């Protein structure tokens, strides 16, 4: 086997070897194979990328919006042309099934499509004769150089939550991808460069905390976008805003589903299992808890037992696999430890996914679907984001009680309700204190033209990713009040 390739940064329109002295292995989570080495770039390389972006911005901001989006049209075509190769890259370095990788990439492409509408989306407004002979206008202008720090779990989709809107509105963009999954981002940047996009408009710098800090501190970076854990989201938000920047920082989650006894249990179990165990539970919209109400407890527990016990776990490039591994060996150990904590707190382990392997892939980071019953309301398991294929059952006497359980959470990313009652659904969507609501849905993922909302400790900022929020985040408003005296206005 040849030595793994060392990945390069993309700065000023060219691929450049990093001067880093530290490198990390990029490993296939299912096979243990080292795919590449990623540099932990020093702050000086971040500075060089930002300076190139600041220089490119002076010309890029003046390119008409109708011309800027032509690069995105070409980019969309290239993403579709290389769709399968990119999806396979996502699976190799992230571990999810090939079907999940394809779905993720389509979601990203949808954001490129929406950003192609920037000539309309970033329009301002105006009034004539707000006073005699005086007109007033509001226009949107780009910020300058903006940065994005993305996580491992959606390496194809999440950069596309931000990048298309940023460059379509006239900004220059610096991407710092997760060091666990850098090759997917390299695909995106490579295809962008093939569109003829001017040098310096989009750059990519690999790295760890030093690169993150450099982006948050750099005086020429005007805005920072982040997706990751709540602890790091809070840190990035505080550091970026403390340096006078805009920031939108998506954090963690503990998403619950309320199951009423009038729900279609077969359908509900299938949907909830896909939410809980899809992507091996490593997504911020995974259902990780269910609160069954009244007589729903027995039937729903039965369908989840079946779903957890029969899900096919395997290498994601095998088309029949329904769930892949978790991202790292350390993640597997952490998840298994938290299953033990849940048991110690009094939960019953109905299906145990610990200490399991997939034949032929013994080096993989395998945690099989796990089902916990009787998760204590005041235990740590009910409040901890496990970020793995672990699903807990809690029980309540009424819908009011179940909503109270959800609202006491520190997180507010998503909550779902399964019912055939319109009245119950209306109460739930009004009272649940979360940013994304699902009714008879297990993953309430907003379409690209809606914001990816999050409340409480799931989000820091005011404007979310995607759609109009993305346009507003990446533009600043300018109000112009003007008078042009004329013979006609002097008469009044």
């Amino acid at each position: 086997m040849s030595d793994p390739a060392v990945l390069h940064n993309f700065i000023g329109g060219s691929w450049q070897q990093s001067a880093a002295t530290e490198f990390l292995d990029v490993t296939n989570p299912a096979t243990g194979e080292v795919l590449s080495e990623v540099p932990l770039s020093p702050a000086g390389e971040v500075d060089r990328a930002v300076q190139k972006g600041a220089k490119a911005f002076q010309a890029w901001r003046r390119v008409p919006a109708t011309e800027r989006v032509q690069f995105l049209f070409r980019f969309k075509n290239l993403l579709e042309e290389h769709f399968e190769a990119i999806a396979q890259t996502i699976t190799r370095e992230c571990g999810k099934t090939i079907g999940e990788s394809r779905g993720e990439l389509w979601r990203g492409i949808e954001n490129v499509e929406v950003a192609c509408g920037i000539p309309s989306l970033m329009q301002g407004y105006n009034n004539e004769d707000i006073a005699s002979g005086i007109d007033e206008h509001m226009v949107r202008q780009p910020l300058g150089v903006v940065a994005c720090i993305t996580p491992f779990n959606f390496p194809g989709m999440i950069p596309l939550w931000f990048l298309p809107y940023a460059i379509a509105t006239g900004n220059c963009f610096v991407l710092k991808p997760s060091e666990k999954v850098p090759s997917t981002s390299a695909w995106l940047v490579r295809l962008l460069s093939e569109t003829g996009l001017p040098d310096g408009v989009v750059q990519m710098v690999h790295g760890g905390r030093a690169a993150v800090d450099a982006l948050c501190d750099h005086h020429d970076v005007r805005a920072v976008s982040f997706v990751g854990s709540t602890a790091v989201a809070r840190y990035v938000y505080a550091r970026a805003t403390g340096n006078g920047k805009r920031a939108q920082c998506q954090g963690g989650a503990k998403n619950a589903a309320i199951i009423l006894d009038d729900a279609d249990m077969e359908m509900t179990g299938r949907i909830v299992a896909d939410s809980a165990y899809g992507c091996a539970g490593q997504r911020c919209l995974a259902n990780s808890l269910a609160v069954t109400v009244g007589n729903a407890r027995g039937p729903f527990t039965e369908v989840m037992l079946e779903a957890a016990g029969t899900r096919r776990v395997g290498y994601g490039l095998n088309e029949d696999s329904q769930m892949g591994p978790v991202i790292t060996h350390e993640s597997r150990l952490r998840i298994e430890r938290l299953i033990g904590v849940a048991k110690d707190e009094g939960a019953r382990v109905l299906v145990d996914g610990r200490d399991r392997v997939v034949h032929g892939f013994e080096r993989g980071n395998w945690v099989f679907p796990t089902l916990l019953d009787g998760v204590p309301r005041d235990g740590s398991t009910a409040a901890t984001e496990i970020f793995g294929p672990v699903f807990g059952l809690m029980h309540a006497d009424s819908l009011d009680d179940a909503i109270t359980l959800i609202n006491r959470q520190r997180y507010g990313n998503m909550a779902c309700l399964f019912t055939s009652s319109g009245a119950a659904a209306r109460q739930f969507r009004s009272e649940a204190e979360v940013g994304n609501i699902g009714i008879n849905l297990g993953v309430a993922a907003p379409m690209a033209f809606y914001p990816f909302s999050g409340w409480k400790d799931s989000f820091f900022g005011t404007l979310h990713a995607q759609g109009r929020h993305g346009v507003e985040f990446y533009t600043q408003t300018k109000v112009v009040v003007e008078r042009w005296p004329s013979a006609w206005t002097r008469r009044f």
Side-chain angles (χ1 to χ4, degrees), residues 352-426:
D352 196 338
R354 295 173 291 181
D355 301 319
R356 305 281 298 276
V357 296
V358 172
H359 180 67
F361 296 92
E362 287 78 9
R363 294 177 61 196
N365 307 316
W366 304 107
V367 181
F368 278 49
T370 297
L371 182 64
L372 308 173
D373 187 30
V375 173
R377 296 187 178 197
D378 296 322
S380 64
T381 304
T384 300
E385 183 181 35
I386 297 175
F387 220 61
V390 180
F391 189 70
L393 299 173
M394 303 173 71
H395 310 287
D397 295 328
S398 67
L399 176 58
D400 288 341
D401 185 24
I403 292 174
T404 298
L405 282 175
I406 288 176
N407 289 348
R408 64 188 287 194
Q409 286 276 1
R410 60 184 285 232
Y411 298 112
N413 213 35
M414 182 190 76
C416 300
L417 175 71
F418 290 84
T419 183
S420 59
S421 167
R426 189 171 188 274

Side-chain angles (χ1 to χ4, degrees), residues 5-76:
V6 177
L7 299 178
H8 289 181
N9 295 325
F10 187 77
I11 299 175
S14 66
W15 295 96
Q16 301 180 11
Q17 183 174 345
S18 173
T21 58
E22 294 182 76
F23 298 82
L24 297 177
D25 289 340
V26 180
T27 305
N28 184 320
T31 66
E33 173 194 3
V34 176
L35 303 172
S36 58
E37 290 185 351
V38 61
L40 299 183
S41 302
E45 290 174 356
V46 172
D47 176 61
R48 189 161 71 250
V50 174
Q51 288 188 37
K52 291 288 187 181
K55 182 177 179 180
F57 174 67
Q58 299 308 316
W60 180 244
R61 65 173 301 189
R62 290 178 171 80
V63 175
T66 52
E67 295 181 24
R68 292 197 296 258
V69 299
Q70 299 308 312
F71 297 99
L72 291 181
F73 282 118
R74 293 174 211 149
F75 182 45
K76 175 183 179 292

Side-chain angles (χ1 to χ4, degrees), residues 53-279:
K55 182 177 179 180
F57 174 67
Q58 299 308 316
W60 180 244
R61 65 173 301 189
R62 290 178 171 80
V63 175
T66 52
E67 295 181 24
R68 292 197 296 258
V69 299
Q70 299 308 312
F71 297 99
L72 291 181
F73 282 118
R74 293 174 211 149
F75 182 45
K76 175 183 179 292
N77 290 336
L78 287 169
L79 288 170
E80 292 174 347
E81 180 182 340
H82 297 278
F83 184 89
E84 190 63 20
I86 301 170
Q88 290 183 15
T89 299
I90 294 172
T91 291
R92 287 193 184 94
E93 65 179 4
C94 181
K96 62 181 61 176
T97 68
I98 187 63
E100 291 166 341
S101 296
R102 292 169 183 146
E104 168 188 347
L105 189 53
W106 276 123
R107 280 286 189 158
I109 291 172
E110 288 170 3
N111 275 281
V112 180
E113 292 175 337
V114 172
C116 286
I118 281 298
S120 298
L121 291 172
M122 69 179 295
Q123 284 180 334
Y125 46 83
N126 60 77
N127 289 89
E128 188 178 48
D129 289 320
I130 58 164
S132 180
I134 298 177
D135 304 329
E136 189 163 347
H137 317 275
M138 190 279 285
V139 297
R140 292 190 176 277
Q141 295 185 336
L143 304 176
V145 179
V146 299
C148 181
I149 303 156
T150 57
F152 76 83
N153 58 332
F154 285 89
M157 178 184 74
I158 291 181
L160 298 178
W161 278 1
F162 307 104
L163 187 155
Y165 302 99
I167 66 172
T169 51
N171 299 281
C172 292
F173 191 85
V174 180
L175 172 62
K176 205 298 287 182
S178 167
E179 56 272 31
K180 296 182 178 69
V181 291
S183 297
T184 303
S185 290
W187 256 114
L188 302 181
V189 171
R190 184 179 303 115
L191 295 183
L192 272 169
S193 70
E194 292 180 14
T195 68
L197 192 72
D199 294 347
V201 173
V202 170
Q203 340 228 20
M204 180 179 66
V205 180
H206 298 292
R209 180 166 180 166
V212 171
D213 288 348
L215 289 170
C216 291
D217 295 346
H218 202 290
H219 58 86
D220 282 332
V221 173
R222 297 290 308 279
V224 175
S225 303
F226 172 86
V227 179
S229 70
T230 286
V232 182
R234 181 182 284 110
Y235 171 82
V236 170
Y237 184 77
R239 187 149 187 161
T241 56
N243 283 305
K245 307 180 191 309
R246 294 185 179 189
Q248 49 180 187
C249 298
Q250 186 83 33
K254 189 70 175 181
N255 306 310
I258 297 176
I259 317 297
L260 300 188
D261 58 10
D262 62 356
D264 180 328
M265 287 300 164
E266 182 180 352
M267 178 196 74
T268 299
R270 183 175 66 253
I271 292 173
V272 173
D274 286 344
S275 176
Y277 302 130
C279 300

Side-chain angles (χ1 to χ4, degrees), residues 291-320:
V291 183
T292 58
V293 176
N295 294 329
R297 178 172 185 171
F300 183 71
T301 301
E302 288 300 316
V303 297
M304 288 304 297
L305 274 168
E306 172 72 13
T310 59
R311 200 165 193 88
R312 295 188 300 274
V313 181
Y315 186 26
L317 288 181
N318 296 334
E319 293 280 355
D320 63 346

